[in-house]
Amino acid sequence: MNKKTSPQTQIIWDKKKTMLLISKYNAAPILWDPNCKTYRNRELKSKAFDDLAKNMKMSKKEVQRKLHNLRTQYNTEVRKLQKNGKSSEVKWEYFDAIKFINGGSNRPLLEDST
């Protein structure tokens, strides 16, 4: 077992909790949008993470870990799309919910042709 994570501190993320986190993350562009004026302000960003964690009733570290995992998976799905060009093949259930993070990026997303 990983020494850093004990079974008591591991959060079980169901779909409802994950969607709530994504929704609250979307409402705080300071955390994900590099075009936001305060995006590079570390103090404000840290406070925004504190507020998000408090709102979710979890530790800041756990919220940041989950968001990191969601962003990583999203970027993996975007790379797959860019490689094969078939947007209808995205099977990851949170893709549509979190694709707002691409708005802060210069990376183009494939447009759905339907």
Side-chain angles (χ1 to χ4, degrees):
M1 175 171 283
N2 186 344
K3 290 181 181 180
K4 293 182 181 179
T5 307
S6 66
Q8 295 84 10
T9 60
Q10 187 67 27
I11 303 288
I12 306 289
W13 286 92
D14 60 12
K15 185 170 183 167
K16 183 178 177 183
K17 206 180 285 187
T18 302
M19 291 300 288
L20 180 62
L21 177 64
I22 291 170
S23 173
K24 291 181 183 304
Y25 185 54
N26 186 9
I30 186 175
L31 298 177
W32 58 269
D33 186 358
N35 298 317
C36 179
K37 289 181 184 180
T38 53
Y39 177 77
R40 287 177 179 73
N41 185 319
R42 289 182 186 196
E43 288 178 25
L44 290 178
K45 192 180 274 194
S46 179
K47 183 178 180 336
F49 268 120
D50 288 338
D51 292 344
L52 180 58
K54 183 178 178 183
N55 200 300
M56 293 293 297
K57 297 180 176 96
M58 353 187 128
S59 72
K60 180 178 177 179
K61 187 175 182 176
E62 178 63 23
V63 167
Q64 288 176 317
R65 184 193 68 79
K66 182 62 174 180
L67 288 170
H68 172 78
N69 291 344
L70 289 168
R71 289 180 66 101
T72 300
Q73 184 62 39
Y74 173 79
N75 288 326
T76 299
E77 296 298 328
V78 168
R79 277 192 298 279
K80 285 181 194 176
L81 284 176
Q82 290 170 339
K83 183 178 178 184
N84 68 21
K86 297 178 183 174
S87 61
S88 62
E89 290 187 8
V90 176
K91 293 183 177 27
W92 185 50
E93 63 186 323
Y94 303 113
F95 185 81
D96 288 332
I98 201 163
K99 69 181 176 183
F100 63 86
I101 65 174
N102 199 60
S105 170
N106 291 329
R107 263 186 316 202
L109 252 183
L110 291 174
E111 292 300 319
D112 205 358
S113 59
T114 56

